[in-house]
């Protein structure tokens, strides 16, 4: 039915089922975000009643001048880039491995997705206490022959520890996405390449890699969006420390909003975080839409 | 393509080694949970031991159950809300698309990518003013918000697979919107509803940031129990592991039994 013949009544009937969800999302995400922007122009501390006062761009100026904000941005970038890069490479490798004719492929996949399904809070506790504790942890015992026993790994290499745990958690995610891509590949093309005399490595680079590229990109982008928000493992393992060594933007926001109760400051951080995230997110959306070719119907 | 037995064995060994390394922390959590306290913190580590459920009993008889119930309520209620709101919306974007359906879809999914920094403070102030702090319904509302965009997106991708003829047939029979929904849409996208629910349940069950900031005691969920557990009682590895095992079990089981749905959900419907 051509769009022009759809009457106004019909158009509203079509919109009706959409409205509850749309209204809900606008109410709970868009209006609060507008309020975040509004509050970011005020100086307001919940611990000091009556401190609500318009200060213009002061909060933003303070952010630019604040050393710990710069540290948090840097930490966020380091954590996200390292964790995403390593987990994409590992996930790709494991996916290719599981795509071979290995014994017990189903069980292998089941085991590997374990880390992704385990509640991050619980996982962080298990890592911190039973594995990495310098006195009673398993790693301390295993590393003793190498002269590294009793080393407090979390304290000495805080950022590396957080990156390692995020890699452990997100590699299975990347693996699942890439493996799913590999399994949707047309095997006849590979077979034809083999008949034409292409080596395994050559056909992987020329045929398989370009085919799964969108899946790798999707994994990397979705992973970035989630890993930028890392909070659980930092809260549980390092509390942003030692010093500010592992304070990223979400943890800084938590400190400013819920330890300092500086509403204006926290909102300014929120606005900056949204702008930074939107850059990555718009790339993610473009990839997503290109995989789906959204106007299918 | 046939692979020879020698390379097959080699690749299998490597794959199993990798899988065991990744799975080891989970396995270790289970083993520690089955030990007694002295065995769990011994150095060298106790490998051979008689498993005991003593620590599980202790955790369960202490105060874990209310936290578990809160988690279950927040996850299930928010998932149902996502389905109730998301299914009609997905219908309006896929079957009888509204004008600019693509833009609406873009808007929905972009809200999933908003960092929580975007709306955290106003939501907190609102919850405080409405007496919703430490109230489980605040978490239900927030988890619905987190999962709804993904839900709409996923349900839409499943709806697109239903042949249009089926709707035509139902309409010729004189079916209204509701009966069309009940008779045609719901049965055909049951797998889609399962995948969507699974993803929603995983995200809300494991959620920590809002739980720790919006609840304190009455409405606190299982991850909060784990936090209070360490701060409350020092290092008790066996008890800690038993609590962590219980808290992680539902999602682990759900994810393992529904791997196909999980993959479809995680790839946002890109993989059939």
């Amino acid at each position: 039915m051509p769009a022009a013949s759809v009457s106004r009544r019909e158009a509203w009937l079509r919109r009706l089922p959409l409205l509850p969800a749309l209204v809900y999302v606008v109410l709970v995400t868009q209006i609060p975000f507008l309020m975040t922007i509004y509050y970011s122009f005020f100086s307001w501390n919940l611990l000091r009643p009556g401190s609500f006062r318009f200060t213009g761009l002061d909060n933003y100026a303070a952010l630019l001048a604040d050393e710990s904000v710069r540290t948090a941005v840097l930490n966020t970038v380091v954590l996200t880039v390292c964790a995403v890069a390593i987990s994409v490479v590992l996930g790709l490798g494991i996916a290719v491995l599981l795509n071979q004719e290995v014994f017990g492929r189903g069980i292998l996949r089941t085991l590997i997705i374990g880390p992704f399904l385990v509640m991050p809070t619980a996982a962080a506790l298990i890592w911190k206490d039973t594995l990495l504790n310098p006195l009673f942890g398993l790693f301390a015992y295993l590393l003793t022959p190498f002269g590294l026993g009793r080393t407090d790994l979390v304290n000495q290499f805080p950022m590396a520890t957080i990156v390692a745990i995020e890699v452990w958690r997100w590699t299975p995610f990347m693996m699942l996405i890439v493996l799913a891509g590999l399994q949707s590949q047309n095997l006849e093309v590979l077979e034809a390449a083999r008949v034409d005399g292409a080596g395994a490595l050559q056909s992987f680079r020329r045929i398989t890699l370009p085919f799964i590229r969108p899946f790798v990109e999707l994994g990397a982008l979705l992973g970035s969006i989630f890993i930028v928000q890392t909070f659980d493992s930092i809260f549980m393992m390092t509390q942003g420390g030692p010093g500010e060594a592992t304070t990223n933007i979400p943890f800084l926001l938590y400190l400013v909003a819920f330890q300092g109760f500086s509403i204006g400051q926290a909102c300014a951080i929120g606005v900056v975080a949204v702008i930074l995230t939107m850059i990555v997110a718009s790339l993610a959306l473009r990839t997503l839409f290109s995989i789906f070719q959204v106007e299918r119907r | 393509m046939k692979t020879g037995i020698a390379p097959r064995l080699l690749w299998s060994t490597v794959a199993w080694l990798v899988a065991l390394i990744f799975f080891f922390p989970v396995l270790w959590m289970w083993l520690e949970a089955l030990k007694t306290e002295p065995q769990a913190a011994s150095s060298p580590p106790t490998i051979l031991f008689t498993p005991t459920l003593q620590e599980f009993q202790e955790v369960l008889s202490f105060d874990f159950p209310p936290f578990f119930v809160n988690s279950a309520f927040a996850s299930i209620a928010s998932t149902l809300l996502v389905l109730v709101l998301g299914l009609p919306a997905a219908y309006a974007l896929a079957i009888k698309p509204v004008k600019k359906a693509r833009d609406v879809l873009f808007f929905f999914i972009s809200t999933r990518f908003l960092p929580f920094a975007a709306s955290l403070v106003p939501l907190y102030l609102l919850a405080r003013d409405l007496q919703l702090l430490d109230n489980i319904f605040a978490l239900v509302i927030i988890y619905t918000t987190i999962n709804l965009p993904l839900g709409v997106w996923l349900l839409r991708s499943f709806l697109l697979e239903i042949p249009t003829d089926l709707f035509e047939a139902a309409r010729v029979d004189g079916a209204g919107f509701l009966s069309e929904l009940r008779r045609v849409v719901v049965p055909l996208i049951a797998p889609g509803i399962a995948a969507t629910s699974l993803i929603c349940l995983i995200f809300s069950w494991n959620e920590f940031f809002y739980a720790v900031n919006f609840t304190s005691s009455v409405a606190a969920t299982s991850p909060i129990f784990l936090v209070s557990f360490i701060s409350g009682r020092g290092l008790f590895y066996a008890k800690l592991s038993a609590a962590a095992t219980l808290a992680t079990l539902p999602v682990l089981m759900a994810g393992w039994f529904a791997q196909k749905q999980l993959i479809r959900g995680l790839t946002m419907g890109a993989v059939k």
Side-chain angles (χ1 to χ4, degrees), chain A residues 23-37:
Chain A
V23 170
Y24 187 92
V25 168
V26 170
L27 273 183
V28 192
T29 67
Q30 305 304 296
I31 292 180
F33 180 52
L34 291 179
M35 286 164 75
T36 300
I37 298 174

Side-chain angles (χ1 to χ4, degrees), chain B residues 6-235:
Chain B
R8 217 181 145 187
L9 268 176
L10 174 74
W11 288 127
S12 299
T13 316
V14 178
W16 274 92
L17 213 63
V18 171
L20 288 177
I21 291 173
F22 268 88
F23 189 66
F24 182 76
V26 183
L27 181 69
W28 188 248
M29 169 175 79
W30 291 349
L31 290 177
E32 292 277 273
L34 293 169
K35 294 175 184 173
T36 61
E37 248 2 301
Q39 285 170 342
S42 70
S43 184
T46 314
I47 302 295
L48 292 173
F49 61 95
T50 325
T52 165
L53 291 176
Q54 186 193 327
E55 299 302 331
F56 283 100
Q57 278 169 352
E58 197 130 328
V59 170
L60 282 174
S61 68
F62 189 57
D63 47 7
F64 183 51
F67 293 85
F68 196 88
V69 170
N70 280 338
S71 274
F73 183 80
S75 310
I76 294 171
S78 64
T79 302
L80 287 177
L81 253 176
V82 167
L83 293 178
V84 168
L85 292 169
L87 208 47
Y91 179 92
L93 292 175
I95 307 298
K96 279 192 200 167
V98 296
K99 278 183 205 164
K100 307 207 169 169
R102 196 173 187 270
D103 296 338
V104 177
L105 192 65
F106 190 89
F107 166 74
F108 266 117
I109 202 68
S110 71
T111 62
R112 178 63 180 89
F113 297 154
L114 275 182
F116 42 60
S119 50
L120 173 71
V121 172
L123 284 181
Y124 178 82
L125 295 173
L126 206 64
R128 189 190 62 159
D129 295 343
L130 295 173
Q131 312 280 314
L132 278 174
L133 285 184
D134 206 16
N135 182 323
I136 196 70
F137 286 99
L139 288 188
V140 172
I141 293 170
I142 289 170
Y143 293 170
T144 304
T145 318
I146 295 176
N147 288 324
L148 188 55
L150 204 58
V152 171
W153 177 280
L154 276 175
L155 290 168
R156 176 188 167 277
S157 85
F158 281 99
L159 282 176
L160 282 177
E161 283 166 21
I162 302 178
T164 343
D165 314 358
L166 285 175
F167 291 101
E168 301 295 339
R171 235 164 281 156
V172 170
D173 291 352
F177 171 69
L178 278 180
S179 75
E180 186 179 305
L181 197 69
R182 197 167 40 100
R183 278 170 40 199
V184 183
V185 180
V186 174
L188 279 174
I189 64 152
I193 294 183
T196 310
S197 310
L198 180 72
I199 295 295
C200 294
L201 285 173
I202 292 180
F203 278 124
S204 39
W205 184 273
N206 287 348
E207 204 283 331
F208 177 63
F209 184 80
Y210 286 104
V212 78
N213 288 318
F214 280 62
T215 70
S216 49
S217 57
V218 186
T221 52
S222 355
I224 310 302
F225 174 76
L226 294 176
V227 177
S228 64
F229 199 86
I230 38 161
S231 53
R233 254 158 303 168
L235 295 174

Side-chain angles (χ1 to χ4, degrees), chain A residues 32-86:
Chain A
F33 180 52
L34 291 179
M35 286 164 75
T36 300
I37 298 174
Y38 175 75
Y39 287 144
S40 73
F41 299 119
F42 288 83
S43 162
W44 185 18
N45 193 308
L46 284 187
L47 300 178
R48 282 181 279 123
S51 63
F52 192 77
R53 179 167 57 83
F54 182 77
T55 51
L57 291 171
D58 281 8
N59 284 326
Y60 293 94
L63 281 191
L64 285 177
D66 193 344
E67 193 72 41
S68 35
V69 173
R70 249 170 295 165
T71 313
V73 171
L74 191 68
N75 284 339
T76 309
V77 172
V78 169
L79 171 60
T80 310
V81 170
C82 291
V84 170
I86 300 172

Side-chain angles (χ1 to χ4, degrees), chain A residues 22 77 82 88 129 174 184 192 199 230 254:
Chain A
L22 204 56
V77 172
C82 291
V88 163
D129 289 332
M174 306 296 177
S184 66
T230 301
Y254 161 78

Side-chain angles (χ1 to χ4, degrees), chain A residues 14 17 24 28-29 32 36 97 101 103 109-110 117 129 133 141 168 226 229 254 258 274 277 285 292 294 297, chain B residues 1 8 12 16 22 44-45 97 109 112-113 115 118 122 141 145 156 160 162 206 213 237 251 256 259 268:
Chain A
R14 285 183 173 221
Y24 187 92
V28 192
T29 67
T36 300
L97 194 60
E101 291 176 27
F103 295 108
R109 194 178 69 179
T110 303
L117 296 171
D129 289 332
N133 182 290
Y141 175 76
W168 173 75
F226 288 121
Q229 303 251 43
Y254 161 78
F258 295 113
V274 170
T277 311
L285 284 172
F292 285 102
V294 164
R297 188 180 281 174
Chain B
M1 261 186 291
R8 217 181 145 187
S12 299
W16 274 92
F22 268 88
I109 202 68
R112 178 63 180 89
F113 297 154
I141 293 170
T145 318
R156 176 188 167 277
L160 282 177
I162 302 178
N206 287 348
N213 288 318
Y237 288 178
V251 162
W256 275 345
Q259 286 188 32
M268 309 193 74

Side-chain angles (χ1 to χ4, degrees), chain A:
Chain A
M1 140 173 54
S5 78
V6 179
S7 70
R8 181 170 277 190
R9 199 180 114 82
E10 173 79 359
W12 272 105
L13 271 178
R14 285 183 173 221
R15 266 174 227 149
L16 202 61
L18 185 65
L19 290 179
L22 204 56
V23 170
Y24 187 92
V25 168
V26 170
L27 273 183
V28 192
T29 67
Q30 305 304 296
I31 292 180
F33 180 52
L34 291 179
M35 286 164 75
T36 300
I37 298 174
Y38 175 75
Y39 287 144
S40 73
F41 299 119
F42 288 83
S43 162
W44 185 18
N45 193 308
L46 284 187
L47 300 178
R48 282 181 279 123
S51 63
F52 192 77
R53 179 167 57 83
F54 182 77
T55 51
L57 291 171
D58 281 8
N59 284 326
Y60 293 94
L63 281 191
L64 285 177
D66 193 344
E67 193 72 41
S68 35
V69 173
R70 249 170 295 165
T71 313
V73 171
L74 191 68
N75 284 339
T76 309
V77 172
V78 169
L79 171 60
T80 310
V81 170
C82 291
V84 170
I86 300 172
S87 57
V88 163
V89 171
L90 285 178
L92 180 63
I94 297 174
V96 170
L97 194 60
L98 289 195
N99 200 37
Q100 311 294 313
E101 291 176 27
V102 291
F103 295 108
R105 192 194 287 178
I107 306 173
L108 287 171
R109 194 178 69 179
T110 303
L111 290 179
I112 291 179
I113 60 172
F116 182 73
L117 296 171
V118 164
M119 181 185 289
T121 334
L125 273 179
I126 296 298
W127 273 103
K128 185 187 179 191
D129 289 332
T130 69
L131 292 172
L132 295 175
N133 182 290
L135 290 178
F136 307 108
L138 183 66
F139 278 39
Y141 175 76
L142 292 177
L143 291 175
T144 309
F146 305 96
L148 283 168
R150 309 281 174 267
T151 309
D152 192 346
L153 292 171
V154 183
N155 241 313
Q156 292 213 351
F157 311 102
M159 185 51 97
T161 310
I162 301 289
V163 169
I165 285 173
E166 293 305 319
V167 166
W168 173 75
R169 176 170 159 68
W170 288 99
T171 300
F173 173 83
M174 306 296 177
M175 182 277 289
L176 273 181
I177 292 185
V178 177
L179 183 62
L182 281 172
Q183 287 175 345
S184 66
Q185 194 181 13
N186 187 350
L187 290 178
E188 279 165 27
V189 180
L190 285 179
E191 187 61 29
R194 203 177 59 89
V195 171
D196 286 351
L201 202 67
Q202 201 184 5
S203 66
F204 178 76
R205 242 188 51 208
R206 294 278 168 79
I207 304 170
T208 307
L209 218 49
F211 178 78
I212 57 171
R213 207 183 117 181
F215 293 90
V216 176
E217 284 173 359
L218 179 66
L221 290 163
L222 289 177
S224 319
I225 289 165
F226 288 121
I227 294 174
V228 159
Q229 303 251 43
T230 301
F231 177 78
D232 308 14
S233 54
I234 293 172
F235 183 92
M236 302 302 278
M237 301 199 62
T238 64
Q239 282 282 323
E244 291 176 337
T246 53
T247 302
N248 63 351
I249 297 175
F251 197 79
L252 180 73
L253 178 80
Y254 161 78
L255 289 179
V256 174
F258 295 113
Q259 304 296 307
F261 288 101
S262 311
I263 298 305
Q265 278 281 308
C267 286
I269 295 175
V271 173
V272 173
V274 170
I275 294 169
L276 294 178
T277 311
M278 272 320 186
I279 300 171
V280 186
S282 62
L283 285 175
L285 284 172
R286 204 176 303 161
T287 314
L288 207 54
F289 273 69
S290 76
I291 289 183
F292 285 102
Q293 292 136 13
V294 164
E295 310 96 317
R296 241 183 312 173
R297 188 180 281 174

